[in-house]
């Protein structure tokens, strides 16, 4: 497993931007499919974006498509989530996660993102 630590959350106004980072430990980071998830108060955790090991393929939830961009730097063991045109409904705790095989088996502790209207 890899250990994951998110950073970059904060409080911004609607329409603003944030860039989340997730730093991974371990030498096998490039072996993992990486994802970002979020969980708002009273709601279930939901998938936000994912990126393949080689960055050739990305996937987004419909709610963030066109506004968020996931990227990774395997040389720096990091994955990023650029969030633009933020909306109050994007308010949540954001988690990065690593997937090997069929399931996500490593999770970070999360970073709070709050969007004010």
């Amino acid at each position: 497993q890899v250990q994951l630590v998110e950073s970059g959350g904060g409080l911004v106004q609607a329409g603003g931007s944030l860039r989340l980072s997730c730093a991974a430990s371990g030498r096998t980071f490039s072996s993992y499919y990486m994802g970002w998830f979020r969980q708002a108060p009273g709601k279930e955790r939901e998938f936000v974006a994912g990126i393949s090991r080689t960055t050739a393929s990305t996937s987004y939830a419909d709610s963030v498509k066109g506004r968020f961009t996931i990227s990774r730097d395997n040389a720096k063991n990091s994955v990023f989530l650029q969030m633009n045109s933020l909306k109050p409904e994007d308010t949540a705790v954001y988690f990065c996660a690593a997937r090997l095989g069929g399931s996500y088996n490593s999770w970070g502790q999360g970073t709070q993102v709050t969007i004010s209207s």
Side-chain angles (χ1 to χ4, degrees):
Q1 290 187 347
V2 292
Q3 279 70 52
L4 305 172
V5 179
E6 303 94 336
S7 62
L11 171 64
V12 298
Q13 289 187 333
S17 299
L18 280 174
R19 186 179 192 235
L20 304 184
S21 299
C22 175
S25 64
R27 303 178 189 177
T28 60
F29 174 74
S30 61
S31 299
Y32 291 84
Y33 183 97
M34 297 299 297
W36 283 97
F37 291 75
R38 66 187 182 186
Q39 187 167 19
K43 296 187 176 181
E44 294 187 353
R45 189 173 299 187
E46 64 175 357
F47 173 80
V48 175
I51 187 166
S52 65
R53 295 175 297 170
T54 62
T55 77
S57 174
T58 57
S59 178
Y60 296 94
D62 287 344
S63 59
V64 306
K65 204 169 291 183
R67 300 188 297 122
F68 290 11
T69 303
I70 188 171
S71 60
R72 69 189 293 166
D73 185 339
N74 287 338
K76 296 183 178 180
N77 281 11
S78 295
V79 62
F80 309 98
L81 186 68
Q82 178 66 45
M83 306 186 295
N84 299 328
S85 302
L86 285 161
K87 305 175 181 179
E89 51 263 43
D90 294 318
T91 294
V93 178
Y94 284 71
F95 301 87
C96 70
R99 191 181 84 190
L100 192 63
S103 62
Y104 288 92
N105 45 27
S106 295
W107 294 82
Q109 83 289 348
T111 186
Q112 177 70 48
V113 171
T114 303
I115 312 303
S116 63
S117 57

